[in-house]
Amino acid sequence: MRRTALALLLAAAAAPVASAHAATGPSATASPTVSGTPQQGKKLTALTGTWLGSGAVTYTFQWYRCDAGAAHCSSIHGATKSTYTQVAKDVGQTIGLTVRARDSTGTAEAYAGVTGLVAAASSTLVATAQPALGGDPIVGTPLTVENAAWSATPTATTYAWLRCNANGRLCTAIAGQTQASYTLTPDDVGHVLVAAATATAGAAKDTVLTLRSAVVRTTPGPVLTAAPAVTGTLQQGRKLTASSGTWTSGGTIAYAYQWYRCDQNGAHCSSIHGSTRSTYTTVAKDVGQTLGVTVRATDATGTTPAYAALAGLIAPAGSPLAATAQPKLDGTPAAGQTLKVEAPTWSGTPSATTYAWLRCNPNGRLCTTVAGETTDAYAVTAADAGHVLVARVTGASGTSQMSVLSLGAAVPA
């Protein structure tokens, strides 16, 4: 059965899968992982990873049974705890895990690399831990399989290299790559790499998949998978918090922050002196303006910047209306589709609401008003390609009015 599973692994076909990232909810700064021995009857344990969220973060789990190529995954009925005990159906297959994290703003998902192949209960040679991959996931750089831990000492080990989608699923073998080291090529860009190590000890044989690499890229620095975001009440004197966003890297990531004060349309931005932490308390100069945040993520290979959506407009300290969260846009940001802005969360109840739509540059800055668009829905056009769309929602309370910008939606070029 193990030999058949490896054959399936080497023949598995890949297919592209789109990965959606929630505009709200916590952000994962380190992916979930699974610990334990991949063998029938043994218990696997989910580690949630590291998340940044608003307030307390709670977690739910779903385990999946996938084929040897980490494809054709089906949820395992009732396997929704942080541990899972493997059964006979799992033998020769891989096990996947999705972790859903919830905070006060919403829910987000992250995926652990698949675990397996699952050995039979009677197997005398079993991988007791998944080996890691050493090296940076940059084209032209080698990745190397680190030593696996086995229940017995192998007399020989062979290798295969697999190219998977960004979630570490739907893997296909890379022809001719049978060594413990593999040098990344342009074909690997946008994928993650996994190696299959097959050990032999006498008549016993077992195959284990390594932990996945980060997403392969052509340039140094971490890779952004979900943009930074700003949370907090948009009012003078209130503290705002920037999340780092979600990144992938072959090593430890350090984050640096810079806050900016911009005009109502995200133009004429100036750095706010000394505002280089993940939190910022708004001041009188911010009233009626927007705030921008740049996050610079640095690993051993280099630095990559990313930009949070504009936060604002900032309400005066005594305003009866202040947005306590930026609304998000529902719908698909593509020509011919319709976006709809959700109702903002205000500190008070507005008596009337009006709308405008803005077309911004790819970083969500330098916005211009789209003429004639004054409802809560907007039909995306070809002119929006390569831009970020933002809705401006204005609430009225008595003689006071206050506007808030939505989170942005990027329209592919």
Side-chain angles (χ1 to χ4, degrees):
M1 178 174 286
R2 304 294 287 162
R3 188 180 299 273
T4 301
L6 180 58
L8 286 171
L9 177 62
L10 298 179
V17 170
S19 178
H21 297 280
T24 57
S27 59
T29 58
S31 296
T33 57
V34 174
S35 65
T37 300
Q39 185 176 25
Q40 178 186 349
K42 297 292 182 70
K43 181 183 290 186
L44 299 177
T45 299
L47 306 177
T48 60
T50 305
W51 298 77
L52 290 176
S54 177
V57 180
T58 59
Y59 304 99
T60 57
F61 305 88
Q62 179 62 63
W63 296 84
Y64 294 83
R65 183 180 298 116
C66 310
D67 68 16
H72 304 103
C73 298
S74 299
S75 58
I76 302 173
H77 181 69
T80 57
K81 297 182 178 179
S82 62
T83 60
Y84 172 68
T85 299
Q86 298 153 96
V87 299
K89 281 186 178 180
D90 299 321
V91 173
Q93 308 298 299
T94 56
I95 302 296
L97 170 71
T98 299
V99 175
R100 293 179 178 86
R102 177 182 290 276
D103 67 5
S104 60
T105 69
T107 301
E109 295 183 346
Y111 307 89
V114 292
T115 299
L117 284 52
V118 177
S122 58
S123 297
T124 57
L125 180 64
V126 181
T128 56
Q130 287 181 274
L133 292 177
D136 294 308
I138 301 171
V139 170
T141 301
L143 296 179
T144 301
V145 181
E146 298 181 351
N147 291 333
W150 301 94
S151 60
T153 302
T155 55
T157 306
T158 59
Y159 301 92
W161 286 85
L162 313 170
R163 186 182 291 128
C164 312
N165 72 13
N167 292 330
R169 307 290 190 266
L170 298 170
C171 306
T172 187
I174 302 173
Q177 298 300 323
T178 58
Q179 303 300 311
S181 183
Y182 168 70
T183 298
L184 296 164
T185 73
D187 290 339
D188 301 317
V189 173
H191 297 271
V192 303
L193 273 290
V194 171
T198 300
T200 302
K205 181 177 285 190
D206 187 56
T207 298
V208 65
L209 300 187
T210 65
L211 299 173
R212 67 192 183 193
S213 74
V215 176
V216 177
R217 59 203 188 270
T218 57
T219 56
V223 175
L224 180 71
T225 57
V230 174
T231 56
T233 299
L234 303 173
Q235 187 171 29
Q236 178 187 346
R238 298 297 186 94
K239 182 184 288 187
L240 302 178
T241 300
S243 70
S244 61
T246 305
W247 303 78
T248 57
S249 168
T252 302
I253 304 176
Y255 301 100
Y257 301 83
Q258 179 62 63
W259 293 78
Y260 294 84
R261 183 180 298 117
C262 310
D263 68 16
Q264 294 184 13
N265 291 326
H268 305 103
C269 297
S270 299
S271 60
I272 302 174
H273 181 68
S275 297
T276 57
R277 298 182 179 181
S278 61
T279 59
Y280 171 71
T281 300
T282 57
V283 299
K285 283 186 178 180
D286 300 321
V287 172
Q289 307 297 298
T290 57
L291 296 174
V293 179
T294 299
V295 177
R296 290 178 173 82
T298 301
D299 63 10
T301 69
T303 299
T304 307
Y307 307 90
L310 287 169
L313 282 52
I314 304 301
S319 174
L321 278 183
T324 58
Q326 290 178 268
K328 67 177 182 179
L329 299 179
D330 295 327
T332 302
Q337 302 296 312
T338 298
L339 296 177
K340 184 177 177 65
V341 61
E342 295 186 353
T345 303
W346 300 98
S347 59
T349 302
S351 56
T353 304
T354 58
Y355 303 90
W357 288 84
L358 310 177
R359 184 182 293 129
C360 312
N361 73 9
N363 292 331
R365 309 289 188 265
L366 299 171
C367 307
T368 57
T369 302
V370 182
E373 299 294 337
T374 58
T375 70
D376 64 349
Y378 174 72
V380 183
T381 71
D384 300 316
H387 294 271
V388 170
L389 295 173
V390 172
R392 178 189 285 126
V393 184
T394 301
S397 178
T399 59
S400 298
Q401 286 192 339
M402 198 62 225
S403 296
V404 62
L405 300 185
S406 72
L407 299 174
V411 182

